Amino acid sequence: MSLFTSSTQNIPESSNVPRHLAVIMDGNGRWAKKRFLPRIMGHKRGVETVRDLIKQCINQGIEYLTLFAFSSENWRRPPEEVKFLMGLFLEAIQKEVNNLHQNNIRLVLIGDRSRFDARLLKAMHDAETLTRHNKILTLTIAANYGGRWDIVQATNRMLHAQPELAQGFTEQELAPYLSMHYAPEPDLFIRTGGEQRISNFLLWQLAYTELYFTDTLWPDFDAEALKLSLESYRLRERRFGRTSEQLGSNGHA
Ligand code: IPE
Ligand code: IPE
Ligand code: MG
């Protein structure tokens, strides 16, 4: 199956372990508040959780991990918090890039880069270039990302490259221009922190993804918490429009 095919057009192969896991890492602020700490301490701890999750994903054989780090709506936060998050993002890329590279991890950053400063842009570019041929895991970080932004930027780029498509285009024609064209669609979506919403994350790509919500706050999302989510995934019956009877015995036909 081509990576560009949509789950609404073709039935993807599925197995007991998700090939692609997408996560909304929510609850950092509340984690800190519970400990009478400033919100930013929650974000700091959240980075450590990311580091552990990457290791767990490799252990589990997950090939693509996509993390929502900063949404296009997060600019609405207090300026000090936005500034801290940008600084933390830069620091995390600079500190972790060699480690990612040594572990054969490819880093890809998706989102609208127009509001980032030159230093951050350079760090993003350098990290992506260094790790681009790595094979064991593709780690995608969504920063200043919004699902609606993605669909609009894809449409604009497609029409610029292929003006004749203004007469009408198909899902398959649009798909290569979407930010995550290099990855299969997520099999499992996890949102920590108790909220049950998508918050403008991967709108197009989550069309047939299994959704898992947990009250666990992001800094507390450990190996055990991941295991529970993977167990839940294993029990799902991914029908993609078919009936139960048409599936194999484990529901992952
Ligand atoms: C998620 O945690 C991190 C970002 C959105 C950057 P929050 O900061 O949203 O934490 P809560 O939801 O306030 O607890
Ligand atoms: C969503 O978290 C975005 C990220 C985790 C980066 P928020 O905590 O900002 O989401 P809402 O706005 O409460 O839905
Ligand atoms: Mg939140």
Side-chain angles (χ1 to χ4, degrees):
M1 190 190 84
S2 149
L3 292 183
F4 299 151
T5 2
S6 146
S7 55
T8 57
Q9 301 292 310
N10 283 70
I11 299 169
E13 271 176 42
S14 58
S15 70
N16 282 328
V17 179
R19 193 171 168 213
H20 182 175
L21 169 63
V23 186
I24 296 187
M25 312 181 286
D26 197 15
N28 292 347
R30 279 163 287 163
W31 181 92
K33 200 172 170 198
K34 260 172 59 180
R35 287 161 180 77
F36 305 101
L37 295 167
R39 292 177 55 83
I40 58 172
M41 294 307 288
H43 298 316
K44 265 194 149 164
R45 273 301 289 262
V47 176
E48 287 170 40
T49 306
V50 170
R51 206 176 291 128
D52 291 343
L53 178 66
I54 293 169
K55 281 187 212 136
Q56 297 303 326
C57 286
I58 292 172
N59 289 342
Q60 296 287 343
I62 292 168
E63 294 170 56
Y64 296 85
L65 172 64
T66 301
L67 303 174
F68 204 7
F70 192 88
S71 76
S72 42
E73 289 70 39
N74 286 143
W75 297 103
R76 296 174 182 150
R77 293 192 176 199
E80 320 80 68
E81 183 169 339
V82 170
K83 199 168 161 217
F84 180 85
L85 285 168
M86 290 298 144
L88 191 64
F89 186 38
L90 176 65
E91 187 188 308
I93 294 175
Q94 288 173 334
K95 260 198 188 157
E96 300 296 335
V97 63
N98 288 326
N99 200 13
L100 293 175
H101 190 47
Q102 276 155 21
N103 285 290
N104 203 6
I105 298 167
R106 166 167 70 146
L107 178 68
V108 184
L109 300 144
I110 58 168
D112 178 2
R113 301 191 187 200
S114 62
R115 284 182 78 171
F116 295 148
D117 69 32
R119 227 155 45 113
L120 184 52
L121 288 172
K122 183 173 182 328
M124 291 167 76
H125 175 79
D126 291 351
E128 286 184 309
T129 307
L130 177 69
T131 64
R132 74 187 148 179
H133 298 303
N134 292 344
K135 294 274 180 294
I136 197 96
L137 174 78
T138 296
L139 170 65
T140 301
I141 308 279
N144 195 19
Y145 180 87
R148 291 183 177 179
W149 165 83
D150 196 0
I151 294 166
V152 171
Q153 70 78 26
T155 311
N156 282 328
R157 288 199 302 128
M158 181 192 69
L159 292 177
H160 188 75
Q162 296 165 272
E164 69 283 5
L165 293 181
Q167 301 308 315
F169 58 86
T170 63
E171 286 182 25
Q172 287 93 330
E173 281 162 333
L174 182 65
Y177 295 93
L178 291 161
S179 296
M180 294 212 70
H181 60 86
Y182 53 86
E185 292 176 8
D187 301 293
L188 176 63
F189 159 97
I190 297 175
R191 182 173 185 144
T192 62
E195 248 53 86
Q196 303 198 358
R197 53 182 176 244
I198 304 290
S199 298
N200 198 18
F201 193 27
L202 302 162
L203 298 180
W204 178 284
Q205 297 84 347
L206 293 175
Y208 255 118
T209 303
E210 297 299 326
L211 306 178
Y212 179 85
F213 299 94
T214 170
D215 290 336
T216 304
L217 302 172
W218 179 249
D220 293 326
F221 191 82
D222 57 9
E224 200 48 47
L226 176 69
K227 230 190 225 161
L228 285 178
S229 71
L230 296 179
E231 264 162 36
S232 167
Y233 176 77
R234 218 169 288 133
L235 298 172
R236 308 286 177 96
E237 191 178 72
R238 304 196 74 192
R239 290 195 288 277
F240 295 102
R242 297 164 295 177
T243 68
S244 267
E245 290 71 24
Q246 292 173 285
L247 305 179
S249 56
N250 67 356
H252 288 272

Coordinates of all heavy atoms in Angstrom, one line a residue, residues 24-103:
I24 N -1.4 13.7 21.9 CA -1.6 15.1 22.4 C -1.1 15.0 23.9 O -1.7 14.4 24.7 CB -3.0 15.6 22.3 CG1 -3.4 15.7 20.9 CG2 -3.1 17.0 23.0 CD1 -4.8 16.4 20.6
M25 N 0.0 15.7 24.1 CA 0.7 15.6 25.4 C 0.1 16.7 26.3 O 0.5 17.9 26.3 CB 2.2 15.9 25.3 CG 2.8 15.0 24.2 SD 4.6 15.3 24.0 CE 4.7 16.9 23.2
D26 N -1.0 16.4 27.0 CA -1.7 17.5 27.7 C -1.6 17.2 29.3 O -1.6 16.1 29.7 CB -3.2 17.6 27.3 CG -3.8 18.9 27.7 OD1 -3.1 19.8 28.0 OD2 -5.1 18.9 27.6
G27 N -1.7 18.3 30.0 CA -1.8 18.2 31.5 C -0.5 18.7 32.2 O -0.4 18.5 33.4
N28 N 0.5 19.3 31.5 CA 1.7 19.7 32.2 C 1.4 20.8 33.2 O 1.9 20.8 34.3 CB 2.6 20.4 31.1 CG 3.2 19.3 30.2 OD1 3.1 18.1 30.4 ND2 3.8 19.8 29.1
G29 N 0.5 21.7 32.9 CA 0.2 22.8 33.8 C -0.4 22.3 35.0 O -0.1 22.7 36.2
R30 N -1.4 21.4 34.9 CA -2.1 20.9 36.0 C -1.2 20.0 36.9 O -1.3 20.0 38.1 CB -3.3 20.1 35.6 CG -4.5 21.0 35.3 CD -5.6 20.3 34.5 NE -5.1 20.1 33.1 CZ -5.7 19.3 32.3 NH1 -6.7 18.5 32.7 NH2 -5.3 19.2 31.0
W31 N -0.3 19.3 36.3 CA 0.7 18.5 37.0 C 1.5 19.4 37.9 O 1.7 19.1 39.1 CB 1.6 17.8 36.0 CG 2.7 16.9 36.7 CD1 2.6 15.6 37.0 CD2 4.0 17.3 37.1 NE1 3.7 15.1 37.6 CE2 4.6 16.2 37.6 CE3 4.7 18.5 37.1 CZ2 5.9 16.2 38.2 CZ3 6.0 18.6 37.6 CH2 6.6 17.4 38.1
A32 N 1.9 20.6 37.4 CA 2.7 21.5 38.2 C 1.9 22.2 39.3 O 2.3 22.3 40.5 CB 3.3 22.6 37.3
K33 N 0.7 22.5 38.9 CA -0.2 23.2 39.9 C -0.5 22.3 41.1 O -0.5 22.8 42.2 CB -1.5 23.6 39.2 CG -2.3 24.6 39.9 CD -3.5 25.1 39.1 CE -4.3 26.0 40.0 NZ -5.7 26.2 39.4
K34 N -0.7 21.0 40.9 CA -0.9 20.1 42.0 C 0.3 20.1 42.9 O 0.1 19.7 44.1 CB -1.0 18.7 41.4 CG -2.5 18.2 41.2 CD -2.6 16.9 40.5 CE -1.9 15.7 41.1 NZ -2.2 14.5 40.2
R35 N 1.4 20.4 42.4 CA 2.6 20.4 43.3 C 3.0 21.9 43.7 O 4.1 22.1 44.2 CB 3.8 19.8 42.5 CG 3.6 18.3 42.4 CD 4.5 17.7 41.3 NE 4.3 16.3 41.3 CZ 3.2 15.7 40.7 NH1 2.3 16.4 40.2 NH2 3.0 14.4 40.8
F36 N 2.1 22.8 43.5 CA 2.4 24.2 43.9 C 3.6 24.7 43.2 O 4.4 25.5 43.7 CB 2.5 24.4 45.4 CG 1.3 23.9 46.1 CD1 1.3 22.6 46.8 CD2 0.1 24.6 46.1 CE1 0.2 22.1 47.4 CE2 -1.0 24.1 46.8 CZ -1.0 22.9 47.4
L37 N 3.9 24.3 41.9 CA 5.0 24.7 41.1 C 4.5 25.6 40.0 O 3.3 25.5 39.6 CB 5.7 23.5 40.5 CG 6.4 22.6 41.5 CD1 6.8 21.3 40.8 CD2 7.6 23.2 42.1
P38 N 5.3 26.5 39.4 CA 4.9 27.2 38.3 C 4.6 26.3 37.1 O 5.3 25.2 37.0 CB 6.0 28.2 38.0 CG 7.2 27.7 38.7 CD 6.7 26.8 39.9
R39 N 3.7 26.6 36.2 CA 3.3 25.8 35.0 C 4.5 25.3 34.2 O 4.6 24.2 33.8 CB 2.4 26.6 34.1 CG 1.0 26.9 34.7 CD 0.2 27.7 33.6 NE 0.2 27.0 32.3 CZ -0.7 26.1 32.0 NH1 -1.6 25.7 32.9 NH2 -0.7 25.5 30.8
I40 N 5.5 26.2 34.1 CA 6.7 25.9 33.3 C 7.4 24.6 33.8 O 8.1 23.9 33.0 CB 7.7 27.0 33.1 CG1 8.2 27.5 34.5 CG2 7.0 28.2 32.4 CD1 9.3 28.6 34.4
M41 N 7.3 24.4 35.1 CA 8.0 23.2 35.6 C 7.3 21.9 35.1 O 8.0 20.9 34.9 CB 8.0 23.1 37.2 CG 8.7 24.3 37.8 SD 10.5 24.3 37.2 CE 11.1 22.9 38.1
G42 N 6.1 22.0 34.8 CA 5.3 20.9 34.2 C 5.8 20.6 32.8 O 6.0 19.5 32.4
H43 N 6.1 21.7 32.1 CA 6.6 21.6 30.7 C 8.0 20.9 30.7 O 8.3 20.1 29.9 CB 6.7 22.9 30.0 CG 5.3 23.6 29.8 ND1 4.2 22.9 29.4 CD2 4.9 24.9 30.0 CE1 3.2 23.7 29.4 NE2 3.6 24.9 29.7
K44 N 8.8 21.3 31.7 CA 10.1 20.8 31.8 C 10.1 19.3 32.0 O 10.8 18.5 31.4 CB 10.9 21.4 33.0 CG 11.7 22.6 32.6 CD 12.7 22.9 33.7 CE 14.0 23.5 33.2 NZ 14.7 24.2 34.2
R45 N 9.2 18.9 33.0 CA 9.1 17.5 33.3 C 8.5 16.7 32.1 O 8.8 15.5 31.8 CB 8.1 17.2 34.5 CG 8.8 17.3 35.8 CD 9.9 16.2 35.9 NE 9.3 14.9 36.0 CZ 9.2 14.2 37.1 NH1 9.6 14.8 38.3 NH2 8.7 13.0 37.1
G46 N 7.7 17.4 31.3 CA 7.1 16.8 30.1 C 8.1 16.4 29.1 O 8.0 15.4 28.4
V47 N 9.2 17.1 29.0 CA 10.3 16.8 28.1 C 10.9 15.4 28.5 O 11.2 14.6 27.6 CB 11.3 17.9 28.0 CG1 12.5 17.5 27.1 CG2 10.7 19.2 27.5
E48 N 11.0 15.2 29.8 CA 11.6 13.9 30.2 C 10.7 12.8 29.9 O 11.1 11.7 29.5 CB 11.8 14.0 31.8 CG 13.0 14.8 32.1 CD 13.1 15.1 33.6 OE1 12.8 14.1 34.4 OE2 13.4 16.2 34.0
T49 N 9.4 13.0 30.0 CA 8.4 12.0 29.6 C 8.6 11.6 28.1 O 8.5 10.5 27.7 CB 6.9 12.5 29.8 OG1 6.9 12.9 31.2 CG2 5.9 11.4 29.6
V50 N 8.8 12.7 27.3 CA 9.0 12.4 25.8 C 10.2 11.5 25.6 O 10.2 10.5 24.9 CB 9.2 13.8 25.1 CG1 9.7 13.5 23.6 CG2 7.9 14.6 25.1
R51 N 11.3 11.8 26.3 CA 12.5 11.0 26.2 C 12.2 9.5 26.5 O 12.6 8.6 25.8 CB 13.6 11.6 27.1 CG 15.0 11.3 26.7 CD 16.0 12.0 27.6 NE 16.0 13.4 27.5 CZ 16.0 14.2 28.5 NH1 15.8 13.7 29.8 NH2 16.0 15.5 28.4
D52 N 11.5 9.3 27.6 CA 11.2 7.9 28.0 C 10.3 7.3 27.0 O 10.4 6.1 26.6 CB 10.5 7.9 29.4 CG 11.5 8.3 30.5 OD1 12.7 8.2 30.2 OD2 11.0 8.6 31.6
L53 N 9.3 8.0 26.5 CA 8.3 7.5 25.5 C 9.0 7.0 24.3 O 8.6 6.0 23.7 CB 7.2 8.5 25.2 CG 6.2 8.0 24.2 CD1 5.3 6.8 24.8 CD2 5.2 9.1 23.8
I54 N 10.0 7.8 23.8 CA 10.7 7.4 22.6 C 11.3 6.0 22.8 O 11.2 5.1 21.9 CB 11.7 8.5 22.2 CG1 11.1 9.8 21.8 CG2 12.7 8.0 21.1 CD1 12.0 11.0 21.7
K55 N 12.0 5.8 23.9 CA 12.6 4.5 24.2 C 11.5 3.4 24.2 O 11.7 2.3 23.6 CB 13.3 4.5 25.6 CG 14.6 5.2 25.5 CD 15.3 5.0 26.9 CE 16.2 6.3 27.2 NZ 16.1 6.8 28.5
Q56 N 10.4 3.7 24.9 CA 9.4 2.6 24.9 C 8.8 2.3 23.5 O 8.5 1.2 23.2 CB 8.2 3.1 25.8 CG 8.5 3.4 27.2 CD 9.1 2.2 27.9 OE1 8.7 1.1 27.6 NE2 10.1 2.4 28.8
C57 N 8.7 3.3 22.7 CA 8.1 3.1 21.4 C 9.1 2.2 20.6 O 8.6 1.3 19.9 CB 7.9 4.4 20.6 SG 6.5 5.3 21.2
I58 N 10.4 2.4 20.7 CA 11.3 1.6 20.0 C 11.3 0.2 20.5 O 11.2 -0.8 19.7 CB 12.8 2.2 20.1 CG1 12.8 3.5 19.3 CG2 13.8 1.2 19.6 CD1 14.1 4.3 19.5
N59 N 11.2 0.0 21.8 CA 11.0 -1.3 22.4 C 9.8 -2.0 21.9 O 9.8 -3.3 21.7 CB 10.9 -1.2 23.9 CG 12.2 -0.8 24.6 OD1 13.2 -0.9 24.0 ND2 12.1 -0.4 25.8
Q60 N 8.7 -1.3 21.7 CA 7.5 -1.9 21.3 C 7.4 -2.2 19.8 O 6.4 -2.7 19.3 CB 6.3 -1.0 21.6 CG 6.1 -0.8 23.1 CD 5.5 -2.0 23.8 OE1 5.0 -2.9 23.2 NE2 5.7 -2.1 25.1
G61 N 8.4 -1.6 19.0 CA 8.3 -1.8 17.6 C 7.5 -0.8 16.8 O 7.1 -1.0 15.7
I62 N 7.1 0.3 17.5 CA 6.4 1.4 16.8 C 7.3 2.1 15.9 O 8.4 2.4 16.2 CB 5.8 2.3 17.9 CG1 4.7 1.6 18.7 CG2 5.2 3.6 17.3 CD1 4.2 2.3 19.9
E63 N 6.9 2.4 14.6 CA 7.8 2.9 13.6 C 7.7 4.5 13.5 O 8.6 5.1 13.1 CB 7.5 2.4 12.2 CG 7.8 0.9 12.1 CD 7.2 0.3 10.8 OE1 7.6 0.9 9.7 OE2 6.4 -0.6 10.9
Y64 N 6.5 5.0 13.8 CA 6.2 6.4 13.7 C 5.6 6.9 15.0 O 4.6 6.4 15.5 CB 5.3 6.8 12.6 CG 5.8 6.4 11.2 CD1 5.6 5.1 10.7 CD2 6.4 7.3 10.4 CE1 6.1 4.8 9.5 CE2 6.9 7.0 9.2 CZ 6.8 5.7 8.7 OH 7.2 5.4 7.4
L65 N 6.2 8.0 15.6 CA 5.7 8.6 16.8 C 5.5 10.1 16.5 O 6.5 10.7 16.1 CB 6.6 8.4 18.0 CG 6.3 9.2 19.3 CD1 5.0 8.7 19.9 CD2 7.4 9.0 20.3
T66 N 4.3 10.6 16.7 CA 4.0 12.0 16.3 C 3.5 12.7 17.6 O 2.5 12.2 18.2 CB 3.0 12.1 15.2 OG1 3.5 11.4 14.1 CG2 2.7 13.5 14.8
L67 N 4.1 13.8 18.0 CA 3.8 14.4 19.2 C 3.3 15.9 19.0 O 4.0 16.6 18.2 CB 5.0 14.5 20.1 CG 5.7 13.1 20.4 CD1 7.0 13.3 21.2 CD2 4.7 12.3 21.3
F68 N 2.2 16.3 19.6 CA 1.8 17.7 19.5 C 2.4 18.5 20.6 O 2.1 18.3 21.8 CB 0.2 17.7 19.7 CG -0.5 18.8 19.0 CD1 0.2 19.7 18.2 CD2 -1.9 19.0 19.2 CE1 -0.5 20.8 17.6 CE2 -2.6 20.0 18.6 CZ -1.9 20.9 17.8
A69 N 3.3 19.3 20.2 CA 4.1 20.1 21.2 C 3.5 21.5 21.4 O 3.6 22.1 22.5 CB 5.6 20.2 20.7
F70 N 3.0 22.1 20.3 CA 2.5 23.5 20.4 C 1.5 23.7 19.3 O 1.8 23.5 18.1 CB 3.7 24.5 20.2 CG 3.4 25.9 20.6 CD1 3.5 26.4 21.9 CD2 2.9 26.8 19.6 CE1 3.2 27.7 22.2 CE2 2.6 28.1 19.9 CZ 2.8 28.5 21.2
S71 N 0.3 24.1 19.6 CA -0.8 24.2 18.6 C -0.8 25.6 18.1 O -0.3 26.6 18.7 CB -2.1 23.8 19.2 OG -2.6 24.9 20.0
S72 N -1.4 25.8 17.0 CA -1.6 27.2 16.4 C -2.4 28.1 17.3 O -2.3 29.3 17.2 CB -2.2 27.1 15.0 OG -3.2 26.2 14.9
E73 N -3.1 27.4 18.2 CA -3.9 28.2 19.2 C -3.2 28.5 20.5 O -3.6 29.4 21.3 CB -5.2 27.4 19.6 CG -6.2 27.3 18.4 CD -5.8 26.4 17.3 OE1 -5.2 25.4 17.5 OE2 -6.0 26.8 16.1
N74 N -2.0 27.9 20.7 CA -1.3 28.1 21.9 C -0.6 29.4 22.0 O -0.2 29.9 23.1 CB -0.2 27.0 22.2 CG -0.8 25.6 22.6 OD1 -0.4 24.6 22.2 ND2 -1.9 25.7 23.4
W75 N -0.6 30.2 20.9 CA -0.1 31.6 21.0 C -0.9 32.5 21.9 O -0.5 33.5 22.3 CB 0.0 32.2 19.6 CG 0.9 31.5 18.6 CD1 0.6 30.7 17.6 CD2 2.4 31.7 18.6 NE1 1.7 30.3 17.0 CE2 2.8 30.8 17.5 CE3 3.3 32.4 19.3 CZ2 4.1 30.7 17.2 CZ3 4.6 32.2 19.0 CH2 5.0 31.4 17.9
R76 N -2.2 32.0 22.1 CA -3.1 32.7 23.0 C -2.7 32.7 24.5 O -3.3 33.3 25.3 CB -4.5 32.2 22.9 CG -5.1 32.3 21.5 CD -6.4 31.6 21.4 NE -7.0 31.7 20.1 CZ -7.8 30.7 19.6 NH1 -8.1 29.7 20.3 NH2 -8.3 30.9 18.4
R77 N -1.7 31.9 24.8 CA -1.3 31.8 26.2 C -0.5 33.1 26.6 O -0.1 33.8 25.8 CB -0.4 30.6 26.4 CG -1.2 29.3 26.2 CD -0.4 28.1 26.6 NE -1.3 26.9 26.5 CZ -1.2 25.8 27.0 NH1 -0.1 25.6 27.8 NH2 -2.1 24.8 26.9
P78 N -0.3 33.2 27.9 CA 0.5 34.4 28.4 C 1.8 34.4 27.7 O 2.5 33.4 27.5 CB 0.6 34.2 29.9 CG -0.4 33.2 30.3 CD -0.7 32.4 29.0
P79 N 2.3 35.6 27.3 CA 3.6 35.7 26.5 C 4.7 35.1 27.2 O 5.6 34.5 26.6 CB 3.8 37.2 26.4 CG 2.6 37.9 26.9 CD 1.6 36.9 27.5
E80 N 4.8 35.1 28.6 CA 6.0 34.5 29.3 C 5.9 33.0 29.0 O 7.0 32.4 28.9 CB 5.9 34.7 30.8 CG 5.5 36.1 31.3 CD 4.0 36.3 31.3 OE1 3.3 35.6 32.1 OE2 3.6 37.1 30.4
E81 N 4.7 32.4 29.0 CA 4.7 30.9 28.9 C 5.1 30.6 27.4 O 5.8 29.6 27.2 CB 3.3 30.4 29.2 CG 3.2 28.9 29.1 CD 2.0 28.2 29.7 OE1 1.3 28.9 30.6 OE2 1.7 27.1 29.3
V82 N 4.6 31.4 26.5 CA 4.9 31.1 25.1 C 6.4 31.2 24.9 O 7.1 30.3 24.3 CB 4.2 32.1 24.1 CG1 4.7 32.0 22.7 CG2 2.7 31.9 24.1
K83 N 7.0 32.2 25.5 CA 8.5 32.4 25.4 C 9.2 31.3 26.0 O 10.2 30.7 25.4 CB 8.8 33.7 26.1 CG 10.2 34.3 25.7 CD 10.4 35.7 26.2 CE 11.9 35.9 26.1 NZ 12.4 36.7 27.2
F84 N 8.8 30.8 27.1 CA 9.4 29.7 27.8 C 9.3 28.4 26.9 O 10.3 27.7 26.8 CB 8.8 29.4 29.2 CG 9.4 28.2 29.9 CD1 10.6 28.4 30.6 CD2 8.9 27.0 29.7 CE1 11.2 27.4 31.3 CE2 9.5 25.9 30.4 CZ 10.6 26.1 31.1
L85 N 8.1 28.2 26.3 CA 7.9 27.0 25.5 C 8.9 27.0 24.3 O 9.4 26.0 23.9 CB 6.5 26.9 25.1 CG 5.5 26.4 26.2 CD1 4.1 26.6 25.8 CD2 5.8 24.9 26.6
M86 N 9.0 28.2 23.7 CA 9.9 28.3 22.5 C 11.3 28.0 22.9 O 12.1 27.4 22.2 CB 9.8 29.7 21.9 CG 8.5 30.0 21.2 SD 8.2 28.9 19.8 CE 6.4 28.7 19.9
G87 N 11.7 28.6 24.1 CA 13.1 28.3 24.6 C 13.3 26.9 24.8 O 14.4 26.3 24.5
L88 N 12.3 26.2 25.4 CA 12.4 24.8 25.8 C 12.5 24.0 24.5 O 13.3 23.0 24.5 CB 11.2 24.4 26.6 CG 11.2 23.1 27.3 CD1 12.3 23.0 28.4 CD2 9.8 22.8 27.9
F89 N 11.8 24.4 23.5 CA 11.8 23.6 22.3 C 13.2 23.7 21.6 O 13.7 22.7 21.2 CB 10.7 24.3 21.4 CG 10.4 23.6 20.1 CD1 10.4 22.2 20.0 CD2 10.2 24.4 18.9 CE1 10.2 21.6 18.8 CE2 9.9 23.7 17.7 CZ 9.9 22.4 17.6
L90 N 13.7 24.9 21.6 CA 15.1 25.1 21.0 C 16.1 24.3 21.8 O 16.9 23.6 21.2 CB 15.4 26.6 21.0 CG 16.8 26.9 20.6 CD1 17.0 26.6 19.1 CD2 17.1 28.5 20.8
E91 N 16.0 24.4 23.1 CA 17.0 23.7 24.0 C 16.9 22.2 23.8 O 17.9 21.5 23.7 CB 16.7 24.1 25.4 CG 17.7 23.5 26.4 CD 17.2 23.8 27.9 OE1 16.8 24.9 28.2 OE2 17.1 22.8 28.6
A92 N 15.6 21.7 23.7 CA 15.4 20.2 23.6 C 16.0 19.8 22.2 O 16.7 18.7 22.2 CB 13.9 19.9 23.7
I93 N 15.8 20.5 21.2 CA 16.3 20.1 19.9 C 17.8 20.1 19.9 O 18.5 19.1 19.6 CB 15.9 21.0 18.7 CG1 14.4 20.9 18.5 CG2 16.6 20.7 17.4 CD1 13.8 21.9 17.5
Q94 N 18.4 21.1 20.4 CA 19.9 21.2 20.5 C 20.5 20.2 21.3 O 21.5 19.6 21.0 CB 20.3 22.6 21.0 CG 20.1 23.7 19.9 CD 20.3 25.1 20.4 OE1 20.2 25.4 21.6 NE2 20.6 26.0 19.5
K95 N 19.9 19.9 22.5 CA 20.4 18.9 23.4 C 20.3 17.5 23.0 O 21.1 16.7 23.2 CB 19.7 19.1 24.8 CG 20.4 19.8 25.8 CD 19.8 19.5 27.1 CE 20.3 20.3 28.3 NZ 19.3 20.4 29.4
E96 N 19.1 17.2 22.3 CA 18.8 15.8 22.0 C 19.2 15.3 20.6 O 19.2 14.1 20.4 CB 17.3 15.6 22.2 CG 16.7 15.9 23.6 CD 17.3 15.0 24.6 OE1 17.7 13.9 24.3 OE2 17.3 15.4 25.8
V97 N 19.5 16.3 19.7 CA 19.7 15.8 18.3 C 20.8 14.8 18.2 O 20.6 13.8 17.4 CB 19.9 17.1 17.4 CG1 21.2 17.8 17.7 CG2 19.9 16.6 15.9
N98 N 21.9 14.9 18.9 CA 22.9 13.9 18.7 C 22.5 12.5 19.2 O 22.8 11.5 18.6 CB 24.2 14.3 19.4 CG 24.9 15.5 18.6 OD1 24.8 15.5 17.3 ND2 25.5 16.4 19.3
N99 N 21.8 12.6 20.3 CA 21.3 11.4 20.9 C 20.3 10.7 20.0 O 20.3 9.5 19.8 CB 20.6 11.8 22.2 CG 20.4 10.6 23.1 OD1 21.0 9.6 22.9 ND2 19.6 10.8 24.1
L100 N 19.4 11.5 19.4 CA 18.4 10.9 18.4 C 19.2 10.3 17.2 O 18.9 9.2 16.8 CB 17.5 12.0 17.9 CG 16.5 12.7 18.9 CD1 15.8 13.8 18.2 CD2 15.5 11.7 19.4
H101 N 20.2 11.0 16.8 CA 21.0 10.5 15.6 C 21.7 9.2 15.9 O 21.6 8.2 15.2 CB 21.9 11.6 15.2 CG 22.6 11.3 13.9 ND1 21.9 10.9 12.8 CD2 23.9 11.3 13.5 CE1 22.7 10.7 11.8 NE2 24.0 10.9 12.2
Q102 N 22.3 9.2 17.1 CA 23.0 7.9 17.5 C 22.1 6.7 17.6 O 22.5 5.6 17.5 CB 23.7 8.1 18.8 CG 25.1 8.8 18.6 CD 25.5 9.6 19.9 OE1 25.1 9.3 21.0 NE2 26.5 10.5 19.7
N103 N 20.8 7.0 18.0 CA 19.8 6.0 18.1 C 19.1 5.7 16.8 O 18.0 5.0 16.8 CB 18.9 6.3 19.3 CG 19.6 6.0 20.6 OD1 19.8 4.9 21.0 ND2 19.9 7.1 21.3

